[in-house]
Amino acid sequence: MRAWLIQAMTGRRASEVLMMDFEPLSDIPGLDAAAVPEGGMVARLRYQQTKIDAAPNTILVGGDVVEIIREQQAWVREHWHLGPADTIRYLFPKTTGNRHGTKSWETSNYNHVLKDFSHHLDLRDSRGELLLYSRSHRLRHTKATTLINAGAPIHVVQRYLGHLSPEMTMRYAATLASTAEREFLALAKVGRDGREIGMDRRDMLDLVQLDLRTDRVLPNGYCLLPPTRSCDKGNACHGCDHFATNRTFLPDIQRQLAETQSLVATRQARHTERYGEPMTGANVWLEQRNAEIRSMQLEIVALEALPAGSTAVVRGAGVLGRTGYQDTAGTLDSKGASRS
């Protein structure tokens, strides 16, 4: 259960936890762990990166994870008859045929124990289906969507999950369509003077509807930045992960896309006429307009995928259109979908 709890708290894969070194923790340089408020990060955790070569293999963890690891170390020392300063190879060693602790607990056995435990508890959901602790990879999905829903930037979540590309991380962002309004209302519970508003979120729904927050309504969607924050990005909304929109704005985005594409064509023609050669993709103006075009194309694809009449809010659909988020081996087709 300690391995399972570490999975739940960190979003690591089962194999990454089971194959951790006996001492996987290290200090954060320059940080006094004793002075960190409750809930803060106090140590760096090194795990076994088992799936993607060259991906990160460390994350920051709080005191709750540290406590679980210390408990597991104490259990191992007791069962392997180790001294206070002695260690073995793994934090979660195989419990049979492993006298010297040189073998880690196998994922298959771990899942088997969890499955038996689930059947013993016989906990069931509202549909009567058995809740299986052995489906522990769901904990990774939960951690990822929790971070994204909390407003963590995509590149931060990418680093935390150990993904090599933002495209892998953006798979989890699909859940934002159903949580964007809830997140906005949660952020709106802080007043302009920074004080927390003592009001139930359901009451806020009546007072702070997205379409009535005129200070956050944009011509093509909504800005989900909290009221206490300002934006200095000008009209770069389409590539921002705080930008949300829905199907009612689809005609506006389609019109803006057509106007931007027409503007690009006109400027390129004038550039060629004046300088005798076409404007390259490295041109700072063209680079930004192409990023806007990619982002709008991605937004249109996301909105068109919603059922007609849907009022669901889609957030951050155009993030992958930003410069640096493209696969250099791929392109965007006419609808904005990536292909290689």
Side-chain angles (χ1 to χ4, degrees):
M1 294 311 297
R2 294 192 189 100
W4 193 92
L5 286 172
I6 292 175
Q7 277 196 266
M9 292 177 176
T10 66
R12 300 335 316 157
R13 302 178 181 91
S15 57
E16 294 173 345
V17 173
L18 298 179
M19 295 181 66
M20 283 196 304
D21 296 333
F22 183 81
E23 180 49 85
L25 298 171
S26 59
D27 295 334
I28 301 174
L31 178 71
D32 180 7
V36 175
E38 183 178 356
M41 302 295 103
V42 299
R44 179 180 286 120
L45 172 69
R46 183 180 65 259
Y47 59 92
Q48 182 65 41
Q49 175 56 259
T50 60
K51 189 173 181 180
I52 305 173
D53 292 337
N57 66 346
T58 61
I59 56 172
L60 300 181
V61 294
D64 47 3
V65 175
V66 172
E67 183 177 354
I68 292 172
I69 289 174
R70 296 308 182 205
E71 289 180 357
Q72 176 64 14
Q73 289 173 332
W75 184 89
V76 171
R77 285 195 171 99
E78 178 183 351
H79 285 73
W80 265 260
H81 307 292
L82 303 177
D86 295 335
T87 65
I88 58 176
R89 175 68 179 84
Y90 293 105
L91 180 63
F92 292 96
K94 185 179 179 181
T95 54
T96 59
N98 190 26
R99 181 179 179 182
H100 300 291
T102 56
K103 302 176 184 177
S104 66
W105 203 16
E106 297 171 349
T107 304
S108 58
N109 190 24
Y110 172 68
N111 291 335
H112 179 73
V113 171
L114 288 174
K115 189 173 183 179
D116 283 350
F117 179 63
S118 302
H119 282 283
H120 178 76
L121 289 180
D122 197 32
L123 295 176
R124 298 182 180 273
D125 62 18
S126 59
R127 296 173 295 180
E129 296 182 3
L130 184 68
L131 297 176
L132 290 172
Y133 282 80
S134 54
R135 295 181 178 175
S136 60
H137 197 74
R138 292 179 176 181
L139 301 173
R140 182 172 173 82
H141 290 256
T142 300
K143 185 67 175 182
T145 53
T146 299
L147 289 171
I148 296 174
N149 290 352
I154 293 297
H155 71 278
V156 174
V157 181
Q158 175 190 343
R159 168 64 177 79
Y160 185 88
L161 295 177
H163 289 159
L164 287 181
S165 69
E167 287 84 356
M168 297 175 66
T169 309
M170 284 299 292
R171 295 174 185 174
Y172 298 101
T175 59
L176 289 173
S178 61
T179 60
E181 184 171 288
R182 173 186 56 76
E183 179 185 346
F184 179 82
L185 295 178
L187 292 170
K189 292 179 72 176
V190 178
R192 291 185 178 181
D193 57 358
R195 292 180 301 170
E196 183 175 354
I197 301 174
M199 185 178 298
D200 187 84
R201 185 177 295 173
R202 289 169 295 183
D203 296 331
M204 291 292 292
L205 182 62
D206 296 327
L207 298 177
V208 198
Q209 290 287 355
L210 279 176
D211 56 354
L212 300 181
R213 282 297 309 270
T214 55
D215 59 328
R216 297 299 183 190
V217 175
L218 308 174
N220 42 27
Y222 306 99
C223 176
L224 296 184
L225 279 171
T228 54
R229 290 181 57 186
S230 60
C231 176
D232 58 359
K233 295 182 179 178
N235 62 350
C237 296
H238 290 290
C240 179
D241 53 4
H242 290 288
F243 175 69
T245 188
N246 59 34
R247 279 189 68 96
T248 63
F249 292 102
L250 182 56
D252 299 289
I253 297 174
Q254 290 172 327
R255 181 170 57 253
Q256 187 177 357
L257 172 61
E259 291 173 351
T260 304
Q261 290 173 323
S262 176
L263 175 62
V264 169
T266 300
R267 291 289 178 88
Q268 285 180 319
R270 290 181 180 175
H271 187 280
T272 301
E273 181 181 354
R274 175 172 295 183
Y275 298 104
E277 60 182 25
M279 189 184 298
T280 68
N283 180 281
V284 63
W285 180 88
L286 182 60
E287 182 181 38
Q288 293 301 314
R289 301 296 78 73
N290 283 337
E292 292 172 5
I293 288 173
R294 290 191 298 266
S295 294
M296 285 187 281
Q297 288 173 331
L298 290 167
E299 289 166 355
I300 291 171
V301 170
L303 293 176
E304 288 180 339
L306 296 175
S310 171
T311 59
V313 176
V314 176
R315 173 179 174 175
V319 169
L320 292 183
R322 283 154 47 177
T323 301
Y325 278 65
Q326 276 64 61
D327 180 356
T328 56
T331 58
L332 289 173
D333 62 23
S334 60
K335 292 187 177 181
S338 178
R339 67 183 184 205
S340 58

